[in-house]
Amino acid sequence: MTSSLIRRLALALLIIALLVGGIWWAKRPKPIAVVVVEIDQGKVESSIANTRAGTVEACQRTKLSATMGGRIEVLAVKEGDRVQKGQLLMKLWNDDQQAQSTLAQTQVQSAQKRVVEACTVAANAEAEAKRQSALFQKGFVSGSRDDQARADAQARRATCDAAKADVVQAQARVSATQVEQKRTVLYAPFAGTVAKIVGR
């Protein structure tokens, strides 16, 4: 083969390659137009769902409501507000429950004072029963006097124990009123944005 023939063959191959490349370039699929937008915080005006392009969902989402009905006293947020975990969102009117809680706490204090009084009397009665028992053993008092002193000490001790039970009951009443008050308040369970408020 001569060099001119090699040159012609190389030129023909180059032309064929250019033709194939041109046809491929003309028939290639057109790229999809993409619009890039920077994400910013703001009020949600509308929402669009397109399953072909993809969806964006919140990592955490919850619907909150008080477990009981009532009149809203404090609405601490509005739609679109950013909130932190534990932040107050809403409070229902609960002055009656606060009064019940105050009353229950007062009853605890009264019951504790009754315990001091009843248990002091019981301790004195038990000491008196021991003295009467010692005197009975020496023959200075009758057996009925000793029995009466022991019975009085037991009765006073029972009164002391009952007063202690009253304190426990009053403290349980305080806990119950606190649970009722918590049912009238909503706090944010996690940091986020308030999407919608239904209530006035």
Side-chain angles (χ1 to χ4, degrees):
M1 281 172 95
T2 63
S3 61
S4 68
L5 185 63
I6 292 174
R7 270 188 243 135
R8 285 182 190 163
L9 189 57
L11 184 59
L13 286 175
L14 179 62
I15 291 172
I16 291 171
L18 286 174
L19 282 174
V20 170
I23 292 169
W24 174 82
W25 180 263
K27 293 192 175 195
R28 80 185 189 290
K30 300 293 182 203
I32 298 171
V34 177
V35 178
V36 179
V37 177
E38 185 176 337
I39 295 175
D40 193 12
Q41 294 181 0
K43 186 175 179 182
V44 176
E45 297 292 340
S46 63
S47 59
I48 299 172
N50 184 345
T51 55
R52 292 183 184 174
T55 57
V56 176
E57 294 182 4
C59 296
Q60 289 182 306
R61 187 178 181 96
T62 185
K63 290 182 181 179
L64 301 173
S65 64
T67 56
M68 60 187 299
R71 180 170 53 95
I72 296 175
E73 183 177 357
V74 176
L75 188 56
V77 293
K78 59 185 183 300
E79 290 182 7
D81 282 359
R82 293 279 304 161
V83 295
Q84 299 302 316
K85 181 178 180 179
Q87 181 178 334
L88 175 68
L89 303 176
M90 182 190 73
K91 178 179 175 252
L92 299 178
W93 180 86
N94 65 357
D95 290 355
D96 56 339
Q97 293 176 355
Q98 289 178 10
Q100 290 289 336
S101 179
T102 303
L103 176 62
Q105 289 170 354
T106 304
Q107 288 173 341
V108 168
Q109 293 170 356
S110 297
Q112 288 171 337
K113 289 177 182 174
R114 282 194 298 276
V115 165
V116 172
E117 178 186 1
C119 292
T120 301
V121 170
N124 287 340
E126 287 167 345
E128 179 61 24
K130 285 181 183 176
R131 279 193 295 274
Q132 291 298 325
S133 180
L135 291 173
F136 170 71
Q137 303 226 341
K138 293 180 182 176
F140 294 125
V141 295
S142 66
S144 62
R145 178 77 181 136
D146 179 40
D147 291 342
Q148 183 182 1
R150 274 190 282 123
D152 185 52
Q154 288 173 351
R156 301 291 183 182
R157 178 52 57 191
T159 303
C160 171
D161 293 340
K164 288 178 181 177
D166 287 344
V167 170
V168 173
Q169 186 178 22
Q171 287 170 336
R173 225 176 278 123
V174 168
S175 298
T177 58
Q178 289 171 345
V179 168
E180 283 297 310
Q181 282 183 286
K182 287 179 184 175
R183 293 174 60 197
T184 64
V185 182
L186 283 181
Y187 295 100
F190 50 81
T193 303
V194 177
K196 188 174 184 181
I197 297 175
V198 180
R200 289 181 293 172

